[in-house]
Amino acid sequence: MENAIHLYNTLARRKELFEPINAPHVGMYVCGPTVYSDVHLGNCRTFISFDLIFRYLKYSGYKVRYVRNITDAGHLEGDRDEGDDKFAKRAKLEQLEPMEIVQKYTLGFHDVLRMFNTLPPSIEPTATGHITEQIEMIKEIMANGYAYEANGTVYFDVEKYSSHYNYTILTNRNLEDMLANTRELGGQDEKRGRLDFALWIKAKPETIMRWPSPWGVGFPGWHIECSAMSAKYLGDEFDIHGGGMDLAATHHTNEIAQSEACNHKQPAKYWMHTNMLTVNGTRMSKSAGNGFLPGELFTGNHPLLDRGYSPMTVKFFMLQAHYRSTLDFSNEALDASEKGFKRLMNAINLLGKLVPSAESDFEIEPLISNCVKAMNDDFNSPVVIAELFEATRIINTIHDGKGKISAPELEKMKKLIDDFVFNIFGLMDEDASNTELHSVMDMVIDIRKAAKENKDYATSDKIRIGLQSMGIQLKDSKDGTTWIKA
Ligand code: AMP
Ligand code: ZN
């Protein structure tokens, strides 16, 4: 049985019950990175948010096809067809082929997302691998009368489209205001209308990434790739389309227009937008130059950082905010997340060592149902984390001998942790992967036990105090000795 999930649909401007078109199948398309430079932490926040959504849909019983593209061509510096090609510019700077740039930063993107323990999408199509599909779609839009060619470039006719459809349906802006805020066309312009945007762009003599088309040699516009690839892998109508909020006004607005002009259907039933990671209140972005690279955050090697933070600390920090709220980066907030995450992981390590009693002072079912309820309410991860801290408190109370738990309740607690911490949040115990440390600690605890049995308190104290100076605390109880990293 699937969960009754309510999600915020940008198109409807409210939370709606999630009813897939063809349950239990779910098609989800998320706009991927433009791989012309390293992904910054803001990009990571969006992909971590959709990883949470992907994981929870799967946990809820849906069979999800998750498509996340790689933009490796066609993205000009300005979102409205102005400026240089991002790849060509970077290639010149780094003295590499554009496709070397694409390869380098695609690999880097995958490395970073692996560190954050996100799941790979089901399909990861590239724009350059789908030129034919984009050309076919442009031909269809032209045949339907919503695009025109001017001197080797093809433009989408926003005015014509607006006479049959609502161009601003996604963001509910006023078209007149939009027109008033857009630069007036001059004599040099090929466009018929101010809001028209390019579907196909004529290559300049120096353009390296170029393909033949019915309109001459050129390259596709940025927006058309997502319309073509989402339709190819998910159909003309699919369930969820996602991306960062900054994409709604132009990129997603144009995607909807292209798909409708081609297929006469709204492409996605639900549009989901993640909010921005900010630095001192300003959106983190490549162009603003305030972007931390994940590597800089892990090592602490950045002027704005006091020290480094581990990938799981950073992920926990992100999950402590709802995906539709802004999240401001600060050293203090990361310090607090690190403490909280360690507290949770220490409790989880103790969980395996708890000995069940006949009776139970705690019921775990309400915690589980609160977590499910929170996730069903538009994927409210901060509420889940509050419940996980309650679980932490319960585990510590039992471990301190101040409460009892029965075997069935203990099993429920283990399931809660497995489901929500590891499966849905995709968190990992970064120390647990250090199996050597665990083996060494088992041995040290054994030696200390033997020393105590031989009344060799000098040795047992030396071990305890020595470990303490390394930040490892031993805790003795009637069931044996456990350790935590302070
Ligand atoms: P790009 O590589 O610029 O095309 O962006 C890739 C994804 O990251 C898009 O979905 C953007 O909306 C998203 N994104 C960009 N900047 C931020 C930010 N500061 N916080 C969260 N998401 C962002
Ligand atoms: Zn897109």
Side-chain angles (χ1 to χ4, degrees):
M1 236 285 286
E2 293 100 28
N3 282 318
I5 298 171
H6 285 78
L7 52 80
Y8 186 88
N9 185 359
T10 308
L11 204 52
R13 280 165 271 284
R14 61 181 171 86
K15 282 188 207 167
E16 290 185 330
L17 177 65
F18 177 57
E19 293 176 299
I21 298 164
N22 185 22
H25 298 279
V26 170
M28 177 164 87
Y29 187 94
V30 172
C31 294
T34 306
V35 284
Y36 73 103
S37 66
D38 290 304
V39 284
H40 59 67
L41 205 65
N43 304 133
C44 294
R45 182 181 184 209
T46 284
F47 301 124
I48 288 171
S49 296
F50 282 105
D51 184 61
L52 172 75
I53 291 164
F54 178 40
R55 285 169 177 272
Y56 190 67
L57 290 171
K58 294 211 302 178
Y59 168 85
S60 303
Y62 292 115
K63 295 185 169 26
V64 189
R65 180 181 291 167
Y66 173 22
V67 183
R68 188 185 65 209
N69 69 301
I70 294 279
T71 296
D72 59 351
H75 203 158
L76 299 184
E77 284 182 310
D79 281 352
R80 285 193 175 270
D81 320 325
E82 337 77 27
D84 291 332
D85 177 286
K86 289 186 177 183
F87 300 97
K89 195 170 174 189
R90 190 73 181 203
K92 215 179 275 170
L93 199 72
E94 295 195 27
Q95 295 192 324
L96 294 171
E97 275 289 316
M99 275 320 243
E100 282 183 288
I101 295 289
V102 164
Q103 176 74 356
K104 177 178 168 184
Y105 293 112
T106 302
L107 292 178
F109 169 62
H110 288 157
D111 285 347
V112 165
L113 284 196
R114 210 172 300 118
M115 277 192 251
F116 283 121
N117 195 30
T118 65
L119 298 174
S122 326
I123 306 177
E124 195 168 45
T126 61
T128 55
H130 297 76
I131 300 292
T132 314
E133 288 81 352
Q134 296 176 72
I135 290 175
E136 286 308 310
M137 192 163 197
I138 297 169
K139 278 160 68 179
E140 187 67 25
I141 296 171
M142 288 178 92
N144 291 341
Y146 295 110
Y148 56 91
E149 190 212 325
N151 190 26
T153 293
V154 180
Y155 291 99
F156 189 90
D157 189 337
V158 173
E159 193 180 325
K160 174 83 182 294
Y161 173 79
S162 298
S163 61
H164 295 100
Y165 299 97
N166 179 0
Y167 179 61
T168 59
I169 191 165
L170 188 62
T171 50
N172 206 20
R173 283 164 303 170
N174 182 308
L175 197 61
E176 302 303 316
D177 291 347
M178 271 181 83
L179 275 167
N181 290 326
T182 309
R183 181 181 63 84
E184 259 184 72
L185 294 179
Q188 298 292 310
D189 281 295
E190 298 163 344
K191 294 182 195 182
R192 290 181 195 160
R194 282 186 226 184
L195 296 176
D196 294 359
F197 56 91
L199 301 174
W200 185 265
I201 299 158
K202 182 186 177 168
K204 292 182 191 152
E206 67 273 21
T207 305
I208 305 168
M209 294 171 90
R210 47 164 70 211
W211 291 267
S213 82
W215 317 287
V217 175
F219 57 95
W222 170 37
H223 317 299
I224 194 75
E225 67 173 277
C226 289
S227 289
M229 295 191 288
S230 61
K232 172 160 175 145
Y233 296 110
L234 299 172
D236 295 346
E237 283 179 291
F238 56 94
D239 299 298
I240 299 175
H241 193 310
M245 265 178 200
D246 56 319
L247 299 186
T250 303
H251 181 54
H252 291 165
T253 292
N254 291 349
E255 264 192 61
I256 291 177
Q258 294 165 153
S259 298
E260 273 198 317
C262 180
N263 305 315
H264 311 289
K265 284 173 190 155
Q266 264 288 340
K269 192 171 174 189
Y270 305 95
W271 283 84
M272 298 185 72
H273 290 102
T274 53
N275 213 328
M276 298 290 109
L277 181 70
T278 57
V279 185
N280 297 323
T282 312
R283 182 193 141 193
M284 185 180 283
S285 76
K286 284 171 199 164
S287 41
N290 65 351
F292 293 126
L293 302 185
E296 292 168 339
L297 190 57
F298 304 154
T299 57
N301 193 6
H302 190 282
L304 279 172
L305 287 168
D306 295 344
R307 62 185 177 91
Y309 298 92
S310 76
M312 287 302 118
T313 296
V314 177
K315 187 170 181 180
F316 193 68
F317 161 70
M318 292 188 184
L319 292 169
Q320 281 180 302
H322 186 254
Y323 79 88
R324 282 193 296 113
S325 312
T326 53
L327 175 61
D328 199 50
F329 172 89
S330 74
N331 287 284
E332 296 71 32
L334 274 159
D335 285 342
S337 292
E338 187 180 76
K339 279 203 192 91
F341 182 61
K342 279 203 174 136
R343 197 144 51 88
L344 176 63
M345 285 300 137
N346 280 330
I348 292 172
N349 281 328
L350 296 177
L351 184 59
K353 296 172 184 130
L354 295 187
V355 181
S357 313
E359 307 103 73
S360 200
D361 296 327
F362 304 99
E363 262 187 72
I364 307 306
E365 199 58 52
L367 266 71
I368 297 176
S369 74
N370 286 345
C371 287
V372 170
K373 223 183 284 166
M375 286 303 285
N376 283 347
D377 182 16
D378 200 25
F379 312 96
N380 202 332
S381 56
V383 172
V384 173
I385 289 179
E387 295 295 328
L388 293 174
F389 281 140
E390 175 60 11
T392 301
R393 191 191 63 79
I394 293 173
I395 293 168
N396 289 335
T397 306
I398 298 161
H399 182 252
D400 290 345
K402 292 176 185 142
K404 294 192 212 76
I405 190 160
S406 66
E409 294 300 325
L410 188 57
E411 282 315 303
K412 280 184 199 164
M413 181 65 102
K414 286 180 182 164
K415 184 163 162 40
L416 168 79
I417 298 294
D418 257 358
D419 284 353
F420 284 88
V421 177
F422 298 117
N423 188 357
I424 296 167
F425 282 181
L427 292 167
M428 291 186 304
D429 183 352
E430 286 159 328
D431 291 330
S433 57
N434 193 346
T435 46
E436 278 166 3
L437 174 67
H438 283 261
S439 307
V440 169
M441 283 305 300
D442 285 348
M443 193 178 77
V444 170
I445 287 171
D446 269 353
I447 295 171
R448 179 165 166 270
K449 189 173 165 220
K452 275 166 88 172
E453 280 164 4
N454 293 332
K455 303 203 164 27
D456 178 3
Y457 298 117
T459 301
S460 75
D461 282 351
K462 192 173 170 190
I463 291 173
R464 186 177 49 78
I465 294 162
L467 288 172
Q468 210 159 30
S469 71
M470 292 173 223
I472 295 174
Q473 216 156 18
L474 294 178
K475 193 169 165 71
D476 298 312
S477 75
K478 62 177 175 12
D479 300 314
T481 303
T482 53
W483 61 276
I484 55 168
K485 279 175 85 175

